[in-house]
Amino acid sequence: MARTLKGLQEVIEVTVVNPRLTDQGWQFGGYPGADEDTLNGVRYLHELYTRADPQVSGRATVPVLWDKQTGTIVNNESADIVRMLNSAFSAIVDQGPNLYPDDLAAEIEALNASLYANLNNGVYQAGFASSQQAYEEAYGKVFAALDELESRLADGRLYLFGERLTETDLRLFVTLVRFDAAYHGLFKCNRNTLRDMPSLHAYMHRVLALDGIAATVNLDHIKAGYYSIKALNPGGIVPAGPGKL
Ligand SMILES: N[C@@H](CCC(=O)N[C@@H](CS)C(=O)NCC(=O)O)C(=O)O
């Protein structure tokens, strides 16, 4: 999203991994809409981690920002990468909204933190809970956060902080756009769907309608990806719905 909004498509290519996580982690190619690694010609993402650091251990996660010139990983933390795309390339391409304006920095940090704890990560805590109590606590946090956002957006503002789109909107959108297709069913966050929350639902569609953003969302990949988590869905059946977001 940040790449598109900042007009960096010509400067930074995107390689989409196969949405079905294998026992070797993320794989390139072999699925509609997934890309081969034409740059390095590897099959699994972990091979790029090893190229970057032969001693590396741990999980090979996406996203990865890869430097073609030095042949290494610049960063693998989405929050950092969004900040980099916002300002680090402005000498080459200077366009798009400032996603992290100085005068909103403190508020952005505060909302990012609570959104992460209650919603972005809250849905995972609900989905991967190993006790009824942990699940119900996470479920409570998720819907309390959604209720708060629903009333925040009910005053007719366009984005979380008013007229200006910020990185916090990107961080919220990516969770909202997955909600009905993945978190409601697989992660048992099923008090209601996003469609049942009119202001939030309209907000999600407002962001989705921004120039180029719909092309960054692949509903089939979202469903195939989440429903291939074996621990939660051993049979691997992917639900047919929802028909639309
Ligand atoms: N802090 C990282 C976390 C990335 C992360 O956990 N990515 C997951 C997918 S959303 C992943 O690649 N998992 C691969 C695995 O667990 O093998 C970020 O948000 O950028």
Side-chain angles (χ1 to χ4, degrees):
M1 291 175 76
R3 167 181 174 264
T4 298
L5 290 165
K6 301 298 289 188
L8 293 168
Q9 296 93 326
E10 305 291 310
V11 178
I12 303 170
E13 282 174 58
V14 168
T15 307
V16 176
V17 296
N18 187 318
R20 290 176 304 205
L21 195 61
T22 75
D23 51 11
Q24 287 214 51
W26 297 118
Q27 188 191 321
F28 292 103
Y31 189 93
D35 300 314
E36 298 292 340
D37 173 22
T38 52
L39 185 66
N40 292 295
V42 302
R43 182 140 192 233
Y44 294 102
L45 183 67
H46 69 72
E47 299 172 73
L48 294 183
Y49 273 73
T50 306
R51 279 191 194 199
D53 175 5
Q55 304 304 318
V56 75
S57 67
R59 307 198 69 90
T61 57
V62 289
V64 162
L65 183 63
W66 179 267
D67 186 334
K68 286 179 180 174
Q69 284 183 10
T70 56
T72 195
I73 294 174
V74 179
N75 201 297
N76 69 346
E77 170 52 48
S78 52
D80 293 345
I81 295 172
V82 168
R83 291 264 167 98
M84 290 173 177
L85 301 198
N86 184 52
S87 54
F89 296 86
S90 54
I92 309 170
V93 180
D94 191 13
Q95 68 181 69
N98 180 0
L99 299 169
Y100 187 60
D102 287 344
D103 63 309
L104 290 177
E107 286 176 81
I108 286 175
E109 298 290 354
L111 190 54
N112 284 351
S114 71
L115 274 184
Y116 181 80
N118 298 315
L119 188 59
N120 304 122
N121 195 42
V123 291
Y124 281 82
Q125 289 173 334
F128 286 95
S130 51
S131 73
Q132 185 69 32
Q133 190 190 343
Y135 160 68
E136 283 174 21
E137 276 172 22
Y139 173 104
K141 284 197 306 186
V142 165
F143 284 98
L146 289 176
D147 285 341
E148 210 176 301
L149 290 163
E150 175 69 13
S151 45
R152 182 181 182 119
L153 292 163
D155 67 3
R157 66 181 75 195
L158 285 178
Y159 305 116
L160 287 168
F161 294 105
E163 301 289 307
R164 288 179 287 172
L165 182 81
T166 68
E167 63 170 40
T168 316
D169 294 294
L170 275 53
R171 296 168 62 123
L172 174 57
F173 173 82
V174 294
T175 289
L176 297 182
V177 79
R178 288 159 171 72
F179 201 83
D180 290 358
Y183 305 147
H184 183 269
L186 187 71
F187 285 1
K188 306 186 187 80
C189 293
N190 60 356
R191 190 194 77 183
N192 53 259
T193 62
L194 191 71
R195 296 183 74 83
D196 295 325
M197 306 187 89
S199 301
L200 263 177
H201 187 241
Y203 163 84
M204 190 273 281
H205 276 283
R206 191 175 307 130
V207 177
L208 184 62
L210 292 172
D211 228 13
I213 293 303
T216 70
V217 178
N218 186 327
L219 188 57
D220 173 58
H221 281 203
I222 290 173
K223 294 202 301 188
Y226 282 98
Y227 280 92
S228 69
I229 301 175
K230 287 215 173 66
L232 302 182
N233 188 36
I237 309 293
V238 181
K244 58 177 178 166
L245 293 177

